Amino acid sequence: QVQLVESEGGLVQAGGSLRLSCAASGRTFSAYTMGWFRQAPGKERDFVAGINWSGGYTYYADSVKGRFTISRDNAKNTVYLQMNSLKPEDTAVYYCAASKVPTTKVLSTAAYDYWGQGTQVTVSS
């Protein structure tokens, strides 16, 4: 069992930056693929970024590539999402998630076993 707790999001102007963190409970954090998803009002929950167990492989949705960076610190049981050059269309509730699937890319919500409670990120124009 893994419990995930995201940091507080916030309100930021377009072009600004924000870093989200997600702290995990349990001693097996390093065994999980970690991901960030987001969900805007009235829309489905979409994949944003993923990272493998060691942190050596990362992958991103095209919409955030070059602007967002996912990283993890297994010693601190924490995964991060650094968001730069934010746009109004990045406004959403952001969720971190943990997956037992060890394959290279884990993109589907169905493949993730544990979810955080979500944190609101609002980007004003």
Side-chain angles (χ1 to χ4, degrees):
Q1 187 78 11
V2 175
Q3 291 185 323
L4 303 173
V5 180
E6 293 107 344
S7 61
E8 190 172 338
L11 173 65
V12 62
Q13 288 189 330
S17 297
L18 193 63
R19 188 176 84 154
L20 302 180
S21 62
C22 173
S25 65
R27 294 175 291 178
T28 59
F29 173 75
S30 61
Y32 291 89
T33 294
M34 298 299 296
W36 286 95
F37 289 75
R38 67 187 181 186
Q39 188 167 19
K43 295 189 177 181
E44 294 184 348
R45 190 171 298 187
D46 291 330
F47 171 80
V48 174
I51 188 166
N52 75 333
W53 68 274
S54 69
Y57 183 74
T58 59
Y59 42 100
Y60 301 90
D62 288 343
S63 58
V64 307
K65 202 171 293 181
R67 300 188 297 121
F68 290 13
T69 302
I70 187 172
S71 61
R72 67 189 296 164
D73 185 338
N74 287 341
K76 295 183 178 180
N77 281 13
T78 302
V79 62
Y80 304 95
L81 185 68
Q82 177 68 45
M83 304 184 289
N84 298 330
S85 302
L86 282 161
K87 304 176 181 180
E89 50 264 44
D90 295 318
T91 295
V93 176
Y94 283 72
Y95 299 87
C96 70
S99 172
K100 300 175 186 177
V101 177
T103 54
T104 305
K105 285 188 177 181
V106 187
L107 306 177
S108 169
T109 56
Y112 283 82
D113 303 283
Y114 305 104
W115 293 84
Q117 80 282 3
T119 188
Q120 177 70 46
V121 173
T122 302
V123 184
S124 63
S125 58

